[in-house]
Each structure stands twice: as structure tokens, then as C-alpha cells.
Amino acid sequence: MRQRLVVGNWKMHTTLSEALILATSLRNSISEVGGVRVVLCPPFPWIVPVAEILTHRPSHLKLGAQDAYYKEEGAVTGAVSAAMLRGIVDYVIVGHSERRRIFKESSTLVNEKVHAVIKQGMTAILAVGELTRVHHQEKRHHGRPTRTEARSDITTQLEEGLEGISKKEVGQIAIAYEPVWAVGTGQAADGVYANHIAELIRKWLTRRFGASLAGEIPILYGGSVTSENVEEFSGQPELDGVLAGGSSLKAKEFTALCHAFAR
Ligand code: PGA
């Protein structure tokens, strides 16, 4: 059975004390939630203190990083390598739209990061998604892309992001479908549409790795998920979890997302 995953991306939020308070409340509330793996991705400097406060955490509560550089070490000011994160986190988000947009990360760099994360024994959560909200008809409308165009953006990001990944490495991959127009905007995609794209991703993964391996890769939805709309996504057969930004900063709200995916 595919792993269910709920990921909290704290982005560049929280002070150290806020991070420790949030992690402590989540350690308690998440212990009650079964059948889903929960990954907290604090800002880099809080990862170790959060790990310390979570020493006695339930085994389904994991730590992740929001990014990692692919070179192991060297003169790369400001970067944190996947090699440095080994043993501290189990998951790393790679290719988030904010990294692609603000830091101009290319798909080649994203691919190098996926390889580095896997090589260091962690799981890469590869984020993919179209830039603008699609038009529901197969005709361009006010410059909005069609579904076919959105689909081709996503398959290109998959092809480039997973280039050179072998069948043996498939167990260290999760895909987060995050339409860029839905991230941080308060305008989530609707569940049926997100499931439709997840199906398309699964088909692509099946062509690439074969049905049985592709069937094991968790596919998450991300973009303005809240406790109010999470059922839209948890009720979809192809969605195995969510990646939440804003909603991951409030313990009660984030716990509600985890409950929605609990078995
Ligand atoms: P959001 O962010 O939940 O605040 O929209 C999601 C993400 O960036 O992963």
C-alpha cells in the first residue's frame, strides 16, 4: 500500500521559540494520528533544535528540509548540502516553485538536487506544477493555458526533474503537484482537477518505471490547503497526501490535515 504523506513546509516563518512550541504541540497531537507519515520542514537553522525537541517523537513523525544543494561541500556561500542533512532529516523538498521563481533554479539544477538527495539516502519530494490557472476548455481564453498545455508543462518538469533516476531509486521519490497559481494565494485547485493531474502524473511514472513501481510513489497536492478544503483532496483516489505551507504553521490546523489522511 502506498505511503500516505502530509508535509508541512514552514518556509521562512517562525522564530526559534515559535518553532519549538509548534514542534512540541505537533509531537503530542500527531502521536494520535495513525496510518499517515507526517513530515515537518522547518527553516534550516531550526532543524537541529526541532530534532532535539522531537527526540522522543512517534516513528511516523519525520523531519524534512525545504531544499538542499547538490554538491557535497565547497565554496558555495549560503548553501546547505544534501550530504550535510544526511542523518538529520529523512525528506527534502526539491524544485519548489518559490525556488524555481525567486532563485531562478533551472530544471538541470533541480535534477542534480534530486540525485544528491537520493544518493544521501533521503527521499526527494519533487514539486511540479503549471504556472497559471488553466482554462477548462481546450481553447485559449484570455491568455490562460489549456489543460493540454498545463499537462505538457508538468510532464516536462517530470522528465527533467527525474532524468537519470533508476528503478532502484524509485522508493526515494514522492511527487508534489503544486499548481503555482494556487500556492499561497488562498485559491486551492478543486479536488477533481488535482486528482486528474495526479492520474496524469501516475501514467507518466508508469511509462517511465513500470506499473508496480509507479504505484508505490506517493503523489501529493499542494496549494492553499486548509482544514476547510482538505476533504476535497483526501477523498481523491490518486492523492496520497498534501504539502501545506500556511496551514502548517498552526498546530491545530495542521493536525486536522493529518487526520484527513489517517486510515
Ligand atoms: P500554501 O503553500 O499551502 O501556503 O499555499 C504550499 C506550498 O508552497 O507548498
Side-chain angles (χ1 to χ4, degrees):
M1 206 186 288
R2 269 200 300 277
Q3 181 69 62
R4 291 184 157 209
L5 266 187
V6 173
V7 182
N9 176 10
W10 297 2
K11 307 196 182 184
M12 201 170 67
H13 292 293
T14 66
T15 61
L16 174 57
S17 61
E18 284 164 351
L20 296 180
I21 293 170
L22 180 56
T24 309
S25 3
L26 288 172
R27 178 187 58 202
N28 300 332
S29 60
I30 300 299
S31 4
E32 326 260 288
V33 189
V36 58
R37 190 169 284 178
V38 178
V39 183
L40 309 182
C41 304
F44 277 130
W46 310 160
I47 294 178
V48 170
V50 165
E52 278 163 7
I53 218 160
L54 294 180
T55 308
H56 300 295
R57 63 182 182 264
S59 61
H60 61 285
L61 180 56
K62 305 282 184 194
L63 280 173
Q66 300 172 17
D67 181 46
Y69 199 62
Y70 72 99
K71 287 192 176 154
E72 290 188 15
E73 59 168 349
V76 192
T77 302
V80 174
S81 73
M84 290 167 169
L85 293 165
R86 184 189 187 114
I88 303 174
V89 302
D90 292 306
Y91 289 83
V92 181
I93 302 170
V94 180
H96 190 282
S97 58
E98 286 153 14
R99 302 285 323 171
R100 295 184 197 252
R101 181 169 47 87
I102 303 169
F103 296 95
K104 312 275 181 285
E105 288 195 0
S106 67
S107 41
T108 313
L109 180 57
V110 170
N111 178 248
E112 275 164 331
K113 290 181 171 189
V114 172
H115 279 280
V117 167
I118 292 176
K119 182 176 168 210
Q120 296 301 331
M122 301 173 286
T123 295
I125 304 171
L126 174 66
V128 298
E130 76 276 10
L131 277 178
T132 25
R133 191 191 270 272
V134 295
H135 194 253
H136 61 281
Q137 283 164 358
E138 280 305 334
K139 228 162 85 188
R140 275 189 161 265
H141 198 73
H142 299 304
R144 270 156 66 180
T146 63
R147 282 193 171 205
T148 311
E149 287 168 327
R151 285 195 287 257
S152 90
D153 275 2
I154 292 161
T155 45
T156 305
Q157 288 169 30
L158 289 170
E159 265 154 30
E160 293 172 342
L162 297 179
E163 201 188 317
I165 299 300
S166 71
K167 290 189 173 181
K168 277 202 296 237
E169 297 169 318
V170 167
Q172 286 169 265
I173 291 168
I175 306 292
Y177 165 54
E178 299 213 306
V180 180
W181 50 268
V183 172
T185 60
Q187 302 198 333
D190 73 75
V192 172
Y193 175 71
N195 190 65
H196 163 76
I197 300 290
E199 263 171 21
L200 168 98
I201 293 174
R202 182 89 55 208
K203 277 191 194 139
W204 185 90
L205 294 168
T206 302
R207 283 197 298 278
R208 177 74 160 71
F209 299 112
S212 100
L213 289 175
E216 291 302 313
I217 302 177
I219 301 180
L220 321 180
Y221 166 77
S224 300
V225 179
T226 64
S227 58
E228 305 267 293
N229 64 20
V230 67
E231 306 282 335
E232 280 251 348
F233 307 105
S234 58
Q236 302 296 340
E238 284 299 337
L239 293 175
D240 307 302
V242 285
L243 198 166
S247 298
S248 70
L249 296 169
K250 287 167 253 152
K252 220 170 141 201
E253 178 76 4
F254 187 63
T255 306
L257 307 189
C258 301
H259 273 291
F261 282 92
R263 284 191 225 267

